[in-house]
Amino acid sequence: MPCCILPIVTALFLIAGIARGDDPLTYERHVRPILKAHCFDCHGATAEPEGGLDLRLRRFMVRGGDSGAAILPGEPAESYLLERIQTGEMPPGDKKVTAEEYLLLKQWIATGAITAREEPEELDEGIVITAEEREFWSFQPLVRPSVPELADSNGVRTPIDAFILARLQQDGLEFSPEADDRTLLYRATIDITGLPPTPAEVADYLTNESPDKYKTLIDKLLASPRYGERWARHWLDVAGYADTEGYTPSDADRPWAYRYRDYVIKSLNADKPFDQFVLEQLAGDELVSPPYKNLNQQQIEYLTATGFLRMAVDGTGSGANDDKARNHTIADTIKIVTTSLLGLSAGCAQCHDHRYDPIPHTDYYQLRAIFEPALDWKNWQTPGQRLISLYTDAERAAANKVEEKVKIIAAERNVQLKQYIQEELEKELSKHGKRLRQKLRAAYETPADQRTDEQKLLLKVNPSINITGGTLYQYNQASADELKKFDKKIAEIRKQKPVQKFIRALTEKSGQVPVTHLFYRGEYQQPKQAVTPAAFSICSPTGNRFEIPVNSEHLPSTGRRLAFARWLFRGTHPLVGRVLVNRFWMYHFGRAIVGTPSNFGVLGQKPSHPKLLDWLAVEFANNGWSLKSLHRQIMLSTVYRQSSKSDPAQSAFDGAAIDGANLLYWKKPLIRLRAEALYDRILATSGALEQQLYGPPVAITTDIAGQIVVAGESKRRSIYVKVKRTQPVALLKSFDAPVMEVNCERRPSSTVATQALMLMNSQYILKHAKSFAQRVAREAGNVKALPMEGALPQFDDIADAEAQQIPFPQQIVLAWQLAYGRQPTADEYLAALNLLSEQISILAADSNRAKDIAPGLQAMTNLCQVLMSSNEFLYID
Amino acid sequence: MFGNHSRREFLTQNAMGVGGTALAWLLQQEQLRAKPASVVGASAVPDMSPRRPQFAAQANAMISLFMHGGPSHVDLMDPKPELSKYSGTEFQGDIQYSFVKRASKTLMGSPWKFKPHGQCGTEISELLPHMAGIVDDLCVVRSMHTGFNGHEVSIRYWHGGIPAVLGRPTLGSWVTYALGSESQDLPAYMVLTDPGGAPVDGVNNWTNGWMPPLFQGTVLRPQEPRILNLQPPAHLKGKLQSKNLSFLKKLNRKHLERHPEEADLEARIASYELAARMQVAATEALDLSDESNSTLKMYGIDQPETKEYGTRCLLARRLVERGVRFVQLFLGGQPWDNHNSIRTSLPAICRKTDQPAAALVLDLKQRGLLDTTLVHWGGEIGRLPVTENQGDAEKAGRDHNGQGFSCWLAGGGIRGGMTFGETDEFGHRAVVDKVTPNDIQATILHLFGIDHRELTYFYNARKQQLTDGRNCRVVHELLPNIA
């Protein structure tokens, strides 16, 4: 059963509550959250509380239960509640009230057990949402904040800058200087496309004199198809994209999942408005009328989009098509929806009222009801059943014709098979005497279910008589080979069939409207009251909850998801906009404004720049939910364009001393390449990268060490590499690519020896270092100095004879240009020359060295590997 | 220690598993080192810190010499005078074949002679003279039974606990999951593969199944680099890579100067240094240059026929000496699968393995390691007493037999100088004291101080066990001083 993770941080926000000083302790603000976390399950949530004690109101506590009053205001020593807690009897189970929480309860009783306001006369059953809970920051209506007006607005280009600088100035900080052109070019190019600029692009940009060149660059990058490949990966993280089903050990393939991946790439490249993008993913099927036949491109796109709701782990097509597996898939789908769009970890409310956030148990199932007509565990569509064929009627007719031809060949094959078996049977029979032969023949020819016991025994003691199509090869390989010719012929004929493609879609069955029940303790075996579809109460003002009709009058489907998706983007939802812009900000800056991008609840972090967050969310909606507009706004700001280097000697402030973690953005955070960007950058640098968009996943394989690698020689970008849940590609995994169990809200950026070893010794880096060295040797003849400080070094000859044949000096310069987009410094240049010449002499003297590679190329390969393992390669300034 | 682990914990672990097991292990080591000492072992997440068994353990390490293909027990360690006597006549009983076309019922007596050896007098075939020499340390189980003749079905039974089922953690996973590792410098579960290629079922022989990748066998490859990624490829080893690394350090230092106070950049520089140190530890364990000539000779490393397998047996001893918990040796393909020409193919594989295997037991014993190191020798099945008809008598072989076969155990608390169980008079079926792979697994865990029913891993909504609740027992008769 699903289980909440109850972090230890509870006490922290409670202590923060006390620390407010003159604010008196009240039931609603200070005490109720503790009781809700520890006690309400038994003493409040149910109609008949345990021991008759209901803790949901102060006056209920005073009244008490079967054992008398729970508290005596002003008298902690006389309060039974405290006694029970202190002795550890309550709450039962492992999770106890902390010392801080206990003290707070005690203090509240001692100060008279005050409430913030008069308690209601009547209380609905269950746990209601209090005014205090509604005050929480992330549930506040979204209002466009006014942009700060600063006396000293030095460096402010955009409203974003004003918000950031206003906060910086509070701490005596200001912006760092703008990064140099080359750094900006690299930063923006990798940020938007996930790939480095080419040396030609570097040269162009550096020689461009236009004052608008940075803005032009951003526009150019956003227009590149590579943009969709880079940013799709971000969205696929939260969608939980995988090419396999998970759940069962076989982790079966999802052959058509990639069409959803391609849909995401295409939509982002087209800058499809994000409200439309999400609407299609939540309810694209409701925009198309069944039956889903002879579909046009638009309809195909809508149906493909619903792949989002088909991303959850799903064992129902691979050996686990039971109620448990189905409900597991539904729960994971809800988790994907709530974490990606609502920024709430609603999973707790699957079993009981959420202990920290105002999400009642019923709310969870009402949200589930929105999806249940399509994810109906009583009338489940297995992965095979939910495929929609893209065959047109004409194609289907053509395919049927081909199958008719196949039938003819198959019949011929069958005749031949029977003849072959007969021939071998005769040979085997001839080894026996006449009488036995007859008996054996009769036994063999009698259908298996009609044989007498005697016949069965006879065949058992003479096993070689039991010739079948499967064992024919043991008797006569030539015959078996003949039969294979038929199979080949059939395969040939089938090639004439129009290729049948499918969509993995989420659809409803017309007229099938299941009733959703609340599950007691989240257990599907214990369904309780029926619930109707509705959004979470907390996402709307009191009394104005978004409830959805059970069935739409205008659509063949129930219309629940369509209504929900439209409501999400009406502009009044407190969470969706904030959650989305927060995540986009995170991808640009390596950290989010709300550090827990999928938890905007009580246990999540507070925003570092709340007004900026709100401003961005409002702007996003006002600009028609255009993600590319948001990129422009962010990337054109001063805060984005700052240098990432801190140089106290050069600057007017000591950022490192005041804000060492750079939480306030006084410089651009340095970001380590994400796993995919590193994989792709290595490919691009070695010159191998293929630019082809879309298509079925690139296969992976297991090497002898059990390590997962890309199969064959594919040079496609990592986004096209198959995502098998149980077999993450080793290089990607070691650089923090997610293991897709559900979805990934935020990637860590780890620094461990594993990664060092990958870059020192793995086949991937070794192979591409060699391609890089070969590319350098091939192209070095035309190397030109980049227009930047540090002129091209004078190409001194080095003594080694071999080196004179290959222009090493030029190669070094080109290697630097390809890896870093800059000239080597004089020091670096000499050190590299020195490294090459040392290595060449070691190799030349080593009689055991590999003979298939010249010492010069080997040494250059080593240098290239070092460049691709270096921090300058791994990090974006 | 033997408690539940939630899916989330599994994932936390899985998230650090990198595919390459050596790497998963390394990462684990780093995290151990990063933790204050007092927390080690108290973690809710399974790790490789050494753990105490449930009760007093006899064994603290195990070396398994896995003999893929089905060694012909009636020609090796289960003498059958009746089979010899009736050789050439028709077998009267019921036989289960795999290859029906070549099936025959003609009994084939062993072409090789058996003689009693040692003080115990256990009879061993002339094909295994070295095994004959250590027979007083061995417990030969002659009543093994899987019930299935197929290779894969039985292989998976031996490794994963359920016949035919793929994707379960292997014995080595369970042992290391339970007890962690004594070595903080080497992977806890190591697999030595054959230069002739992968065994049947490939990496499934040492998979971690649904356990975290930390518990996957780390392959020690037969050629350089012996541990992928942990060691540089041969052409970079030594001076070249160290020059590369010092050049890299120079570049990274310069880069750091341009980005002062970026802790991550400094950490990354340090991570390369740590990686290099780990390479050294593995290299030392694999370096045989400090072994004496007499040791090398004992393992047959001076002879072409035994050199390769002998080297791996010696490496197995060195690994166990350095605290590796579980070592398993595999052969390429299925050299014991003697369907044809058994008269030549069986002696060949015996010559390759007999001396090294015996040397391993002797060497462990002379170093005082045998008491605590359990050694296992055996395949997944045995072979039939009847001829597999290949036409020519010289080409005769034997078909699969999962109904009755032999294996041996030594050290680690096993009673030496005994045989256990019997097959029928022709060696087809185990008839007295039948022992299954589950029984052996339960017994092995028992020797490690663990009750096989209580060692559980939470997966797929239930507590899983190696023996999966199947009907099996600790075979106490194999242990000394039975009460």
Side-chain angles (χ1 to χ4, degrees):
Chain A
M1 272 298 105
C3 176
C4 286
I5 304 304
L6 300 173
I8 318 156
V9 292
T10 6
L12 298 177
F13 73 86
L14 291 166
I15 295 165
I18 311 179
R20 270 196 284 264
D22 49 8
D23 194 9
L25 297 180
T26 62
Y27 175 79
E28 292 84 349
R29 189 172 299 283
H30 303 100
V31 171
R32 189 175 182 276
I34 300 174
L35 301 178
K36 191 180 172 208
H38 292 289
C39 319
F40 275 10
D41 273 3
C42 304
H43 299 287
T46 51
E48 287 181 15
E50 295 280 330
L53 178 63
D54 185 344
L55 298 173
R56 292 177 300 155
L57 292 178
R58 173 200 186 261
R59 68 164 198 274
F60 293 167
M61 296 171 74
V62 173
R63 188 183 67 203
D66 301 346
S67 315
I71 61 164
L72 187 58
E75 301 292 339
E78 305 297 317
S79 293
Y80 189 51
L81 177 86
L82 292 180
E83 187 188 322
R84 296 281 280 170
I85 293 173
Q86 197 181 26
T87 56
E89 291 164 317
M90 280 291 154
D94 293 338
K95 183 149 193 310
K96 297 295 181 191
V97 174
T98 66
E100 288 83 358
E101 290 170 334
Y102 176 80
L103 281 177
L104 203 138
L105 291 173
K106 192 171 168 183
Q107 202 184 342
W108 172 67
I109 295 170
T111 52
I114 302 167
T115 60
R117 66 188 77 84
E118 208 164 306
E119 295 191 320
E121 291 292 313
E122 308 246 326
L123 199 56
D124 286 340
E125 203 177 291
I127 297 177
V128 293
I129 297 174
T130 63
E132 278 72 18
E133 285 171 324
R134 288 199 172 273
E135 282 172 19
F136 193 71
W137 76 268
S138 64
F139 305 131
Q140 300 316 301
L142 201 48
V143 181
R144 184 193 182 98
S146 55
V147 178
E149 290 186 19
L150 303 169
D152 174 6
S153 60
N154 194 13
V156 172
R157 283 191 176 98
T158 70
I160 293 174
D161 297 327
F163 286 108
I164 295 285
L165 186 59
R167 182 67 190 81
L168 283 172
Q169 286 175 350
Q170 285 178 22
D171 282 49
L173 294 164
E174 53 193 81
F175 288 127
S176 288
E178 182 155 318
D180 61 57
D181 277 356
R182 187 194 66 88
T183 302
L184 276 182
L185 172 67
Y186 261 79
R187 179 186 299 169
T189 308
I190 294 181
D191 196 358
I192 288 302
T193 68
L195 294 169
T198 63
E201 285 168 332
V202 176
D204 282 353
Y205 190 72
L206 297 185
T207 50
N208 190 334
E209 303 277 319
S210 160
D212 285 339
K213 70 174 179 179
Y214 178 72
K215 190 171 171 299
T216 314
L217 168 72
I218 303 296
D219 288 339
K220 189 191 101 185
L221 292 172
L222 287 171
S224 160
R226 307 278 85 82
Y227 160 74
E229 292 173 329
R230 161 77 163 176
W231 281 73
R233 190 54 257 172
H234 295 322
W235 183 251
L236 295 179
D237 270 17
V238 286
Y241 179 83
D243 291 304
T244 60
E245 300 281 7
Y247 198 84
T248 57
S250 68
D251 193 16
D253 279 352
R254 273 181 179 169
W256 301 96
Y258 75 90
R259 295 180 62 98
Y260 169 73
R261 175 247 284 150
D262 291 348
Y263 159 84
V264 174
I265 296 174
K266 197 173 153 195
S267 300
L268 292 176
N269 274 336
D271 198 21
K272 182 179 283 173
F274 227 80
D275 56 340
Q276 177 69 18
F277 180 52
V278 173
L279 180 134
E280 290 173 7
Q281 295 180 74
L282 290 177
D285 58 308
E286 301 198 280
L287 301 172
V288 184
S289 290
Y292 306 112
K293 286 186 175 156
N294 298 310
L295 299 164
N296 64 33
Q297 283 310 311
Q298 176 69 268
Q299 293 169 322
I300 291 174
E301 194 169 327
Y302 286 156
L303 288 168
T304 307
T306 63
F308 175 70
L309 296 175
R310 288 290 189 207
M311 277 305 133
V313 159
D314 188 339
T316 62
S318 43
N321 189 10
D322 51 26
D323 289 346
K324 186 179 156 199
R326 294 171 179 188
N327 280 288
H328 182 110
T329 299
I330 299 171
D332 277 1
T333 306
I334 292 173
K335 181 170 180 231
I336 290 170
V337 171
T338 52
T339 52
S340 64
L341 296 169
L342 305 181
L344 289 174
S345 63
C348 293
Q350 192 182 345
C351 305
H352 45 70
D353 295 306
H354 198 295
R355 295 215 161 88
Y356 304 99
D357 292 329
I359 308 173
H361 196 184
T362 45
D363 272 27
Y364 179 89
Y365 287 91
Q366 288 187 280
L367 186 80
R368 176 171 156 137
I370 298 174
F371 298 92
E372 201 144 305
L375 292 168
D376 181 357
W377 64 291
K378 304 273 192 188
N379 290 288
W380 190 254
Q381 287 177 284
T382 61
Q385 290 165 342
R386 56 184 81 135
L387 291 178
I388 294 173
S389 169
L390 294 182
Y391 259 176
T392 59
D393 288 344
E395 285 169 325
R396 193 176 299 281
N400 288 341
K401 266 195 181 156
V402 173
E403 277 304 313
E404 290 299 320
K405 285 189 210 165
V406 168
K407 266 188 200 160
I408 296 168
I409 309 291
E412 286 173 19
R413 182 193 191 276
N414 208 23
V415 170
Q416 191 67 62
L417 171 67
K418 278 188 180 150
Q419 188 193 323
Y420 286 147
I421 291 180
Q422 196 63 38
E423 285 168 16
E424 296 309 318
L425 181 66
E426 296 303 332
K427 282 186 214 162
E428 290 299 320
L429 289 173
S430 69
K431 295 175 184 169
H432 301 282
K434 192 178 169 194
R435 270 180 60 100
L436 180 59
R437 202 185 308 157
Q438 276 171 350
K439 278 189 179 174
L440 281 169
R441 185 190 302 281
Y444 181 83
E445 286 170 356
T446 307
D449 54 349
Q450 294 169 27
R451 284 173 191 154
T452 64
D453 286 347
E454 189 196 1
Q455 286 179 322
K456 283 180 194 162
L457 185 67
L458 201 58
L459 289 175
K460 196 170 178 190
V461 298
N462 292 284
S464 71
I465 300 296
N466 295 297
I467 307 165
T468 65
T471 57
L472 180 66
Y473 78 96
Q474 295 179 11
Y475 297 80
N476 192 332
Q477 190 63 48
S479 302
D481 291 346
E482 275 307 306
L483 288 174
K484 280 187 194 149
K485 291 184 185 164
F486 285 99
D487 300 336
K488 215 174 147 192
K489 216 163 163 187
I490 290 174
E492 276 304 312
I493 294 174
R494 285 210 166 117
K495 278 188 195 159
Q496 300 164 11
K497 273 167 99 167
V499 177
Q500 185 164 211
K501 292 179 180 166
F502 294 92
I503 311 174
R504 264 180 96 255
L506 177 115
T507 56
E508 295 181 10
K509 274 206 178 117
S510 285
Q512 189 173 296
V513 184
V515 176
T516 299
H517 292 271
L518 175 140
F519 294 156
Y520 178 64
R521 291 182 174 171
E523 293 167 5
Y524 60 86
Q525 303 94 328
Q526 302 203 58
K528 299 292 173 195
Q529 71 267 33
V531 296
T532 52
F536 286 158
S537 315
I538 192 65
C539 297
S540 309
T542 317
N544 204 8
R545 183 167 180 201
F546 184 63
E547 303 197 36
I548 300 170
V550 167
N551 205 346
S552 162
E553 291 170 15
H554 315 290
L555 294 170
S557 58
T558 60
R560 295 181 189 181
R561 283 172 289 117
L562 192 59
F564 178 64
R566 287 190 170 135
W567 171 74
L568 283 180
F569 287 88
R570 212 181 271 168
T572 53
H573 198 286
L575 288 165
V576 176
R578 286 181 175 126
V579 166
L580 289 174
V581 296
N582 183 60
R583 227 182 246 118
F584 300 141
W585 180 274
M586 172 173 79
Y587 302 135
H588 282 296
F589 286 93
R591 90 163 73 93
I593 297 171
V594 177
T596 47
S598 290
N599 192 351
F600 277 44
V602 171
L603 295 185
Q605 290 179 22
K606 297 273 170 61
S608 59
H609 296 76
K611 284 185 175 166
L612 172 62
L613 181 73
D614 286 6
W615 186 86
L616 287 168
V618 172
E619 278 291 301
F620 188 36
N622 289 352
N623 288 326
W625 305 99
S626 159
L627 181 52
K628 287 191 180 179
S629 300
L630 185 67
H631 290 313
R632 277 190 198 92
Q633 275 180 318
I634 291 175
M635 296 176 77
L636 292 174
S637 71
T638 299
V639 57
Y640 184 84
R641 290 156 74 163
Q642 294 177 94
S643 169
S644 66
K645 298 164 191 167
S646 61
D647 189 352
Q650 299 278 315
S651 87
F653 60 91
D654 187 352
I658 299 168
D659 174 23
N662 190 27
L663 296 173
L664 302 178
Y665 302 98
W666 52 270
K667 62 176 179 177
K668 175 76 171 56
L670 188 76
I671 303 179
R672 199 206 72 214
L673 290 180
R674 287 162 76 93
E676 291 84 356
L678 175 62
Y679 180 101
D680 293 352
R681 186 172 184 177
I682 289 172
L683 272 178
T685 306
S686 75
L689 184 73
E690 276 177 23
Q691 303 269 338
Q692 187 199 340
L693 277 156
Y694 312 138
V698 173
I700 53 170
T701 186
T702 310
D703 68 18
I704 183 69
Q707 177 165 283
I708 310 303
V709 295
V710 172
E713 294 292 315
S714 171
K715 298 176 178 71
R716 303 201 62 196
R717 288 189 75 170
S718 49
I719 192 165
Y720 299 113
V721 172
K722 180 170 178 175
V723 181
K724 189 169 169 76
R725 294 177 199 271
T726 50
Q727 299 188 345
V729 170
L731 178 76
L732 297 176
K733 185 72 224 59
S734 73
F735 280 92
D736 306 314
V739 174
M740 278 305 174
E741 179 64 10
V742 185
N743 63 345
C744 171
E745 51 141 347
R746 175 186 42 165
R747 294 190 188 188
S749 179
S750 66
T751 305
V752 292
T754 323
Q755 296 161 348
L757 289 163
M758 277 279 175
L759 295 177
M760 284 157 67
N761 304 325
S762 78
Q763 281 306 310
Y764 186 79
I765 187 92
L766 296 172
K767 186 167 87 180
H768 288 289
K770 190 174 169 191
S771 316
F772 184 11
Q774 286 165 328
R775 176 185 188 184
V776 163
R778 214 166 44 235
E779 299 175 8
N782 304 320
V783 69
K784 293 189 182 72
L786 287 169
M788 63 196 315
E789 276 182 57
L792 201 60
Q794 293 299 306
F795 295 146
D796 300 326
D797 286 2
I798 60 172
D800 189 87
E802 186 176 11
Q804 283 176 348
Q805 289 165 18
I806 314 165
F808 270 132
Q810 285 92 331
Q811 289 191 38
I812 291 170
V813 171
L814 182 59
W816 248 259
Q817 289 184 357
L818 287 168
Y820 304 144
R822 66 177 176 88
Q823 239 75 272
T825 64
D827 277 357
E828 287 169 337
Y829 171 72
L830 289 173
L833 264 187
N834 189 33
L835 177 79
L836 290 174
S837 85
E838 275 181 353
Q839 295 216 345
I840 288 170
S841 16
I842 294 171
L843 284 161
D846 179 4
S847 54
N848 292 325
R849 73 176 165 81
K851 297 285 184 259
D852 56 344
I853 178 166
L857 180 59
Q858 181 62 63
M860 198 64 207
T861 299
N862 294 350
L863 175 64
C864 287
Q865 185 187 350
V866 170
L867 296 182
M868 294 199 296
S869 320
S870 66
N871 282 347
E872 187 166 351
F873 195 85
L874 261 55
Y875 289 82
I876 304 300
D877 275 12
Chain B
M1 170 171 59
F2 302 103
N4 292 2
H5 294 292
S6 72
R7 189 180 69 166
R8 181 169 294 264
E9 285 163 358
F10 165 74
L11 281 170
T12 318
Q13 280 291 298
N14 209 9
M16 62 188 223
V18 180
T21 338
L23 301 184
W25 162 79
L26 278 172
L27 192 46
Q28 153 69 27
Q29 293 312 315
E30 277 191 305
Q31 289 177 347
L32 271 186
R33 283 165 202 208
K35 275 190 247 171
S38 62
V39 183
V40 173
S43 159
V45 178
D47 61 30
M48 277 300 173
S49 56
R51 287 178 281 273
R52 266 199 219 139
Q54 288 177 296
F55 45 87
Q58 303 292 311
N60 63 25
M62 174 165 173
I63 298 171
S64 165
L65 309 175
F66 205 84
M67 300 295 167
H68 263 77
S72 183
H73 56 294
V74 293
D75 296 311
L76 299 170
M77 55 194 82
D78 190 11
K80 291 291 159 192
E82 291 294 296
L83 178 58
S84 302
K85 188 171 161 190
Y86 292 101
S87 186
T89 68
E90 292 285 293
F91 181 57
Q92 299 305 312
D94 208 18
I95 293 190
Q96 207 180 335
Y97 306 95
S98 291
F99 286 80
V100 293
K101 161 68 173 135
R102 300 192 297 261
S104 88
K105 302 199 75 179
T106 312
L107 292 165
M108 176 166 71
S110 178
W112 296 283
K113 295 194 172 56
F114 280 78
K115 259 189 0 201
H117 292 275
Q119 292 185 351
C120 60
T122 299
E123 284 188 66
I124 302 293
S125 154
E126 61 184 332
L127 283 175
L128 299 170
H130 294 274
M131 177 187 169
I134 57 163
V135 80
D136 285 335
D137 289 313
L138 305 185
C139 167
V140 179
V141 182
R142 286 175 169 160
S143 53
M144 289 309 308
H145 171 90
T146 67
F148 302 93
N149 283 5
H151 294 293
E152 287 86 348
V153 181
S154 298
I155 288 170
R156 293 167 196 170
Y157 195 175
W158 274 99
H159 295 317
I162 307 181
V165 175
L166 202 56
R168 288 172 53 82
T170 45
L171 175 62
S173 313
W174 286 99
V175 170
T176 49
Y177 162 66
L179 299 175
S181 178
E182 298 296 327
S183 163
Q184 302 312 314
D185 293 318
L186 288 166
Y189 173 10
M190 296 194 72
V191 167
L192 279 63
T193 54
D194 192 281
V200 163
D201 241 12
V203 296
N204 295 302
N205 285 288
W206 50 89
T207 177
N208 51 305
W210 21 253
M211 280 191 190
L214 188 57
F215 303 114
Q216 185 183 11
T218 293
V219 173
L220 196 58
R221 301 163 80 238
Q223 65 276 340
E224 300 287 337
R226 300 296 289 257
I227 305 178
L228 276 185
N229 294 340
L230 178 56
Q231 291 187 294
H235 71 270
L236 283 184
K237 221 169 180 172
K239 272 193 255 173
L240 284 188
Q241 189 167 68
S242 67
K243 287 205 179 293
N244 284 348
L245 287 176
S246 65
F247 186 68
L248 175 66
K249 190 169 173 179
K250 208 177 286 174
L251 289 181
N252 282 345
R253 286 268 162 223
K254 283 277 174 200
H255 184 251
L256 182 62
E257 278 172 25
R258 301 198 293 273
H259 298 86
E261 317 209 21
E262 289 285 356
D264 197 31
L265 298 179
E266 292 186 48
R268 193 162 297 281
I269 293 171
S271 75
Y272 276 94
E273 287 160 12
L274 177 59
R277 283 204 304 278
M278 288 174 162
Q279 293 193 157
V280 171
T283 308
E284 188 277 332
L286 305 180
D287 179 5
L288 300 185
S289 63
D290 60 348
E291 295 287 343
S292 71
N293 277 337
S294 62
T295 300
L296 299 178
K297 209 170 162 200
M298 175 163 76
Y299 282 88
I301 294 173
D302 58 337
Q303 298 295 322
E305 211 156 21
T306 42
K307 180 177 182 195
E308 191 284 318
Y309 200 70
T311 302
R312 284 195 283 146
C313 284
L314 176 53
L315 283 173
R317 189 216 80 209
R318 290 179 65 91
L319 294 173
V320 164
E321 264 178 335
R322 283 159 181 74
V324 174
R325 182 77 67 192
F326 193 94
V327 182
Q328 197 156 31
L329 270 69
F330 289 99
L331 295 164
Q334 318 201 88
W336 297 96
D337 195 22
N338 311 116
H339 285 285
N340 53 40
S341 306
I342 195 168
R343 283 182 174 76
T344 50
S345 58
L346 184 59
I349 184 61
C350 288
R351 282 196 300 272
K352 175 182 163 104
T353 53
D354 180 38
Q355 183 182 346
L360 175 62
V361 173
L362 284 173
D363 196 15
L364 287 169
K365 194 175 181 184
Q366 75 186 13
R367 285 163 200 269
L369 287 168
L370 189 62
D371 292 342
T372 52
T373 306
L374 178 62
V375 183
H376 155 259
W377 184 106
E380 70 278 21
I381 49 175
R383 311 208 77 78
L384 291 179
V386 291
T387 305
E388 184 170 343
N389 189 0
Q390 299 284 354
D392 187 347
E394 269 309 298
K395 287 189 187 161
R398 298 187 192 274
D399 198 358
H400 306 160
N401 182 7
Q403 316 304 320
F405 59 101
S406 307
C407 72
W408 61 253
L409 299 165
I414 283 286
R415 204 168 123 200
M418 71 171 283
T419 65
F420 183 74
E422 291 173 27
T423 47
D424 59 39
E425 53 198 342
F426 298 102
H428 181 29
R429 291 173 198 278
V431 289
V432 177
D433 292 331
K434 195 148 85 174
V435 178
T436 68
N438 285 145
D439 295 329
I440 295 287
Q441 289 152 357
T443 309
I444 290 169
L445 290 181
H446 178 83
L447 290 170
F448 275 107
I450 301 159
D451 184 328
H452 68 104
R453 288 160 303 197
E454 287 170 32
L455 176 61
T456 60
Y457 185 89
F458 196 77
Y459 172 74
N460 231 358
R462 75 177 178 92
K463 286 182 179 178
Q464 309 268 358
Q465 304 147 323
L466 169 59
T467 47
D468 198 49
R470 294 160 56 82
N471 187 20
C472 64
R473 66 179 189 114
V474 174
V475 190
H476 283 282
E477 297 91 321
L478 311 188
L479 318 177
N481 310 321
I482 38 174

